[in-house]
Amino acid sequence: YWQTWWFYSLVGLFVVLFFYALYRYRISQLLKLQKVRNRIASDLHDDIGATLTNISMLSEISRKNLEQPQEAEKFLQRISEEVTSTSQALNDIIWSVNSRNDSMEETLTRMRRYAADLFDNSNTVCHLGIDEAAAGKKLSMEQRRDLYLIYKESMNNILKYASANNVWINVQWRSGKLHLKIKDDGKGFEPAVITNSNGLKNIRSRTEKWKGSIIINSAPGQGTSIEIIIPLAG
């Protein structure tokens, strides 16, 4: 049968399908690489480029106020803050594209370190609880980046607005879903009241990107609890 025309045709078809599948896989990988490049370019433009523009403007204003040291000092302080912000943003970009950080364990380590640095000079005590099942999971670059930025945005909101004495962070993995719960004993707020803050908007947007859900419980004087539930492969 291996000398029949239909056998040669079948072998030829399999060869064509193999190279076609290889071609499609290659195209898929190139598209993923291009997507990563586009995101890095966008991040550099939005985060780094905008901040460098601010630094340039503040430097020019400071130069014009050299004869008024107190005024110049204000702008120099803002330049210092912008430089620190730029350094953190660049560090986040480098961390997010490094494939060695794809494990959930690396993400949790960075989360722990960020919380320690953020509340180091405050009166807020941070309590971090991690489910061992969550630590062993793998995340894609985009998943890891969005999860970390959700966490970072939540923690910054607590530092800026909550005036909390304690923050409890709990990370669990249940039935293919990651549960990130952040609770504080601060001032709280009224969730139904619409504000101009982009913090919660960004958190909702990144959660919805992965078809996840967000549960917010808060009231004035009773602290705030935010639970992010995201289905993640890994």
Side-chain angles (χ1 to χ4, degrees), residues 108-168:
L108 294 172
T109 298
R110 188 172 180 83
M111 290 166 63
R112 183 185 293 108
R113 187 183 305 120
Y114 183 77
D117 293 340
L118 189 67
F119 295 111
D120 185 41
N121 295 319
S122 71
N123 295 322
T124 305
V125 179
C126 189
H127 310 271
L128 182 61
I130 299 173
D131 182 6
E132 292 183 1
K137 299 299 178 181
K138 289 283 186 180
L139 301 177
S140 69
M141 183 185 70
E142 288 291 323
Q143 290 172 341
R144 175 162 48 84
R145 176 177 179 269
D146 284 334
L147 175 63
Y148 180 69
L149 290 179
I150 288 172
Y151 167 82
K152 189 174 179 180
E153 190 78 58
S154 300
M155 300 301 282
N156 283 328
N157 286 343
I158 293 174
L159 180 66
K160 290 179 181 179
Y161 309 116
S163 300
N165 294 319
N166 294 278
V167 178
W168 295 270

Side-chain angles (χ1 to χ4, degrees), residues 161-165 184-191 217-224:
Y161 309 116
S163 300
N165 294 319
D184 68 73
D185 58 0
K187 295 189 297 184
F189 66 99
E190 181 53 61
N217 291 310
S218 183
Q222 298 183 21
T224 301

Side-chain angles (χ1 to χ4, degrees), residues 175-217:
S175 304
K177 294 182 179 181
L178 184 72
H179 293 247
L180 171 62
K181 187 172 184 179
I182 301 174
K183 180 181 178 182
D184 68 73
D185 58 0
K187 295 189 297 184
F189 66 99
E190 181 53 61
V193 176
I194 299 176
T195 66
N196 295 323
S197 173
N198 289 323
L200 284 177
K201 293 180 182 178
N202 292 336
I203 292 174
R204 290 184 185 277
S205 175
R206 295 185 188 280
T207 302
E208 291 171 358
K209 174 182 176 181
W210 298 103
K211 296 179 173 58
S213 59
I214 177 172
I215 303 171
I216 301 176
N217 291 310

